Amino acid sequence: MDTQTATANIPPRPGKARWLATTLHLLIILAVVAGFAALRWITTLPDRVDDQQTVVVGPTRFAPDSDASVRVVVQDFAAGEPIAGAQVKVSLQAEGSKALPLFEGQTDETGSLPVRFHVPADAPPEAQIIVETVSDVGQDRVEQPVTIQRDYRLLLTSDKPLYQPGQTIHMRALALSTFDLTPARGATVDFLVEDPKGNKVFRQSVTASDFGVAAADFTLADMVNQGDYKLSVAIGGTGESATRSYAEKTVEVRPYVLPKFAVNVSTDRSFYLPGQRVEGVVQADYFFGKPVALGEVQVVGSVWDVERTVVVDLRGQTDENGTYEFSFDLPDYFAGSGLESGQTQFALEVTVIDQTDHAEQTSQVLPIAAQPLVIEAVAESGVLKPGVENIVYILTSYPDGRPAPSQVRVSVDGGEPVPLTSGEFGLTQFTFTPEPGSYHVLFISARDEAGLWASREVDFETEYGSDSVLLRPDRAAYVVGETMKLVAFTPVEFGDVYLDIVKAGQTLSTRSTRVT
């Protein structure tokens, strides 16, 4: 098993000792794979004093008062071998201050050392991480400027989506640290409101509470520009290295009249095929319980091609119970690219006018499917990895989203079909080993218990190269305290596996092992 991180694929500037920065923003698991030749390529030098070279892989941004990690790899450049037992010292130094020791240790048989340390809570925003390595082959010193600050995630809410002139917009923002969800206590939160013409009509800075919450109110004038108002909130520093987080929300400002009755539409099916007949019911009732009797009803059905096209226009009247029944045939053909992906939409707009000439309107979207079953196929890594066994997950469902337990048959490039069964959740998996740089077509057919049948061809591209890697966890999601069991697959017969676990751009843990 063997792997390679995204950061390891970025060619560094020439230099004897290199720092490779990770820039990942979600909790992800990366496998770093490299034979010794690959590591040499990363840090090859035009000029060299000795044969030792040091590679440092880690982020350039850290959250204060948090646990972090970087990877240090020490190699004998001339021999192309890792250096075991190399002494490694890591320290943090701010300008004009004494270096603060963070970690000391020795590299293992793979020449790697997982460096783990705690970022001080009072660390300055700008500092340098210094990595010093010494072995019998030589010595190196890596100095990397780093930023020690928190990034924040913002949630902006308002008390309602629609306002009338003269009403007050109540805004509230919640700010939490992206790294560990720590509230932004005491941080300055800036609120801004812009009218439909882009005029800035409100601005206020608020100090966040101990829970990271800030609130502001903006009262609309009686005579204002009507339309969509943009509410925005920002938090963060103003320095060169400081990042500023934003969140936006749109609300509408216009006069409105409260509805007098409700209009509900129901159809006989949850999805349709082209050409099928739609039968539905419109029900109109006042909010105090009385039905909207003898109301005028209009049902308009439309599709989208280059523009909106009305294909159904029905008119009628509700009965004494406020009910109107309708039916029509769908078009046999739907233009556009919707059905090419298996599904498109048919829009219904229903308007009811009561005997006082008050109108209420509602709309509903009907899913239109090319086939009665939807087949999806996804490679476990997004793309196929050559030389190793890949899992292709296959999902069978109905167009309305319900799982469709089915008998599935899969063939690769016209080969012998393989029978499979999707379970109660409509999920099954197919495994095969692709060749490097190849292009594969999977023909998939499915039949459910009621005899509904569908088929689909799915194209997959395979990565080029013979040193690919596939990282496979035993589960898709974990909770705190559970153990991850990971396997890295590679066609490479020798080398070292480097595994980094990264959250919000900060490396939390590093591991390494030999390929077996």
Side-chain angles (χ1 to χ4, degrees):
M1 46 186 180
D2 200 356
T3 56
Q4 186 168 0
T5 60
T7 54
N9 290 327
I10 302 174
R13 297 186 299 272
K16 179 177 178 182
R18 294 303 309 149
W19 181 290
L20 302 178
T22 60
T23 57
L24 303 170
H25 303 292
L26 300 176
L27 175 59
I28 59 177
I29 301 171
L30 297 179
V32 180
V33 111
F36 305 124
L39 284 176
R40 274 205 311 274
W41 175 80
I42 291 175
T43 58
T44 298
L45 294 174
D47 299 304
R48 183 175 303 281
V49 177
D50 54 47
D51 288 328
Q52 176 180 298
Q53 67 173 359
T54 301
V55 178
V56 182
V57 181
T60 57
R61 189 179 189 90
F62 297 91
D65 194 21
S66 67
D67 293 326
S69 180
V70 298
R71 177 181 299 283
V72 177
V73 181
V74 185
Q75 288 184 301
D76 186 329
F77 178 81
E81 296 288 338
I83 300 176
Q87 299 292 328
V88 178
K89 293 183 179 180
V90 180
S91 57
L92 180 69
Q93 185 174 25
E95 185 177 356
S97 302
K98 184 179 178 180
L100 174 67
L102 296 178
F103 182 89
E104 290 188 17
Q106 293 183 346
T107 56
D108 59 17
E109 61 177 2
T110 68
S112 175
L113 176 64
V115 176
R116 300 181 180 90
F117 55 89
H118 186 79
V119 182
D122 57 352
E126 305 294 334
Q128 280 194 333
I129 285 188
I130 302 171
V131 179
E132 299 171 284
T133 62
V134 179
S135 71
D136 295 336
V137 178
Q139 61 183 13
D140 287 323
R141 178 185 174 94
V142 183
E143 297 183 3
Q144 173 63 39
V146 295
T147 301
I148 303 176
Q149 275 187 347
R150 288 191 179 273
D151 293 330
Y152 290 100
R153 184 180 303 172
L154 283 167
L155 173 65
L156 176 62
T157 58
S158 60
D159 57 322
K160 55 183 181 178
L162 176 62
Y163 297 86
Q164 297 198 79
Q167 291 184 336
T168 299
I169 301 176
H170 301 284
M171 298 172 287
R172 186 174 69 171
L174 172 64
L176 301 176
S177 170
T178 303
F179 179 71
D180 56 9
L181 301 183
T182 299
R185 301 181 183 92
T188 300
V189 180
D190 299 318
F191 289 88
L192 178 66
V193 179
E194 298 177 64
D195 69 8
K197 296 184 178 180
N199 301 315
K200 296 176 174 60
V201 295
F202 175 80
R203 189 191 300 270
Q204 184 177 356
S205 297
V206 180
T207 300
S209 69
D210 290 343
F211 301 100
V213 176
D217 295 336
F218 170 57
T219 301
L220 296 162
D222 293 331
M223 298 292 293
V224 295
N225 292 322
Q226 298 180 23
D228 291 336
Y229 277 62
K230 185 173 75 172
L231 317 180
S232 60
V233 64
I235 185 174
T238 57
E240 292 184 2
S241 60
T243 59
R244 195 161 172 82
S245 301
Y246 296 88
E248 294 182 353
K249 179 181 176 63
T250 300
V251 297
E252 187 178 2
V253 176
R254 62 173 174 82
Y256 61 86
V257 178
L258 292 176
K260 294 182 178 180
F261 56 86
V263 179
N264 295 304
V265 181
S266 59
T267 55
D268 59 328
R269 300 183 186 180
S270 57
F271 68 91
Y272 293 88
L273 303 181
Q276 286 187 333
R277 188 165 186 80
V278 177
E279 296 185 356
V281 176
V282 176
Q283 182 64 45
D285 296 289
Y286 292 103
F287 290 111
F288 54 81
K290 182 180 178 180
V292 181
L294 304 179
E296 298 297 325
V297 181
Q298 181 181 20
V299 178
V300 176
S302 58
V303 296
W304 281 91
D305 184 359
V306 178
E307 59 183 10
R308 178 176 177 266
T309 302
V310 175
V311 296
V312 174
D313 190 346
L314 305 177
R315 298 174 187 269
Q317 192 177 61
T318 60
D319 60 17
E320 296 296 332
N321 297 318
T323 303
Y324 171 72
E325 297 182 356
F326 63 91
S327 62
F328 60 88
D329 292 326
L330 289 168
D332 294 325
Y333 174 75
F334 283 80
S337 60
L339 284 182
E340 294 178 4
S341 60
Q343 191 167 322
T344 187
Q345 295 178 338
F346 185 86
L348 278 182
E349 295 180 358
V350 178
T351 303
V352 178
I353 304 175
D354 68 2
Q355 294 183 353
T356 65
D357 288 335
H358 179 81
E360 295 291 348
Q361 189 177 64
T362 188
S363 61
Q364 183 171 331
V365 175
L366 303 180
I368 309 299
Q371 301 184 96
L373 300 178
V374 177
I375 300 173
E376 300 288 347
V378 180
E380 60 177 311
S381 290
V383 296
L384 297 178
K385 303 288 186 175
V388 296
E389 183 183 78
N390 287 245
I391 297 176
V392 176
Y393 293 102
I394 299 173
L395 177 68
T396 56
S397 63
Y398 298 106
D400 59 3
R402 292 178 296 122
S406 305
Q407 297 299 316
V408 180
R409 295 173 67 86
V410 184
S411 63
V412 180
D413 300 329
E416 187 69 21
V418 176
L420 302 169
T421 301
S422 61
E424 62 175 320
F425 300 109
L427 185 65
T428 187
Q429 61 186 40
F430 173 74
T431 59
F432 75 108
T433 303
E435 296 298 325
S438 57
Y439 190 83
H440 295 285
V441 178
L442 270 62
F443 180 81
I444 307 171
S445 63
R447 186 183 300 275
D448 72 354
E449 297 176 351
L452 297 178
W453 183 88
S455 66
R456 183 184 178 189
E457 286 188 355
V458 184
D459 300 335
F460 286 99
E461 186 176 357
T462 307
E463 285 187 348
Y464 287 87
S466 58
D467 58 350
S468 61
V469 61
L470 176 64
L471 182 65
R472 181 178 298 165
D474 62 324
R475 296 178 58 183
Y478 298 87
V479 299
V480 174
E482 290 184 335
T483 299
M484 292 182 180
K485 296 180 180 179
L486 310 169
V487 180
F489 297 93
T490 178
V492 177
E493 297 181 356
F494 64 91
D496 302 309
V497 175
Y498 301 105
L499 175 70
D500 295 341
I501 300 178
V502 182
K503 178 184 180 183
Q506 183 164 315
T507 306
L508 298 180
S509 180
T510 61
R511 317 289 174 90
S512 63
T513 186
R514 285 289 174 92
V515 174
T516 58

